[in-house]
Amino acid sequence: MYGAIGCCASGLDFLVYSFLVQIGGQHYIISNCISVLVGIATSFTLNRNYNFKVKDKIKKRFSIFLIVGLCGMFLSNTILWVCIEKLLFSKLVSKVLSIVLVVFFQFLLNKYFTFSPSKK
């Protein structure tokens, strides 16, 4: 389920990024920040309701999820910068690479911190 939700959120992230970079003419870092935030909101909602199925402590869980997502965004921005500025990859190929790498990082953090069962 995490994979399907991740594909949905990542696909939306990629589409928003592509639109902003290709059509909107926005800088790739600004585009990435916006698209990642859209992905974070989508992913949290879908994972909370369908994957991890936890409904308690929504504000706390979202805060942790957001922190994990912002760490992922920082990692993604770094990957984009290295790929685009140093390795001279295209902006879209760089985004795909960043998504693949960041998804694994965020899955582990979210599984063990954001959506771990509450201990009573």
Side-chain angles (χ1 to χ4, degrees):
M1 182 59 82
Y2 185 83
I5 291 170
C7 286
C8 178
S10 296
L12 184 57
D13 176 0
F14 184 78
L15 287 173
V16 170
Y17 173 84
S18 298
F19 176 81
L20 292 171
V21 167
Q22 300 291 98
I23 297 170
Q26 292 294 318
H27 189 271
Y28 66 91
I29 295 292
I30 292 169
S31 299
N32 191 57
C33 291
I34 293 168
S35 69
V36 166
L37 290 173
V38 169
I40 288 170
T42 302
S43 183
F44 178 79
T45 303
L46 294 175
N47 273 302
R48 183 177 69 88
N49 292 321
Y50 302 108
N51 187 30
F52 297 109
K53 298 177 185 170
V54 290
K55 307 281 185 188
D56 64 333
K57 303 177 184 176
I58 294 171
K59 289 180 183 177
K60 180 182 177 187
R61 291 183 191 281
F62 182 73
S63 296
I64 296 168
F65 194 85
L66 182 60
I67 290 167
V68 169
L70 293 176
C71 290
M73 182 169 60
F74 175 77
L75 179 59
S76 179
N77 285 340
T78 302
I79 293 166
L80 287 175
W81 182 81
V82 169
C83 288
I84 293 167
E85 301 296 334
K86 300 298 179 189
L87 301 176
L88 305 177
F89 291 175
S90 78
K91 291 174 184 166
L92 297 183
V93 168
S94 299
K95 178 64 174 175
V96 170
L97 182 60
S98 78
I99 288 172
V100 169
L101 295 173
V102 170
V103 161
F104 293 111
F105 165 76
Q106 289 181 315
F107 169 75
L108 294 174
L109 292 177
N110 281 317
K111 179 176 179 172
Y112 294 109
F113 295 104
T114 310
F115 295 110
S116 65
S118 296
K119 294 177 179 59
K120 295 183 181 186

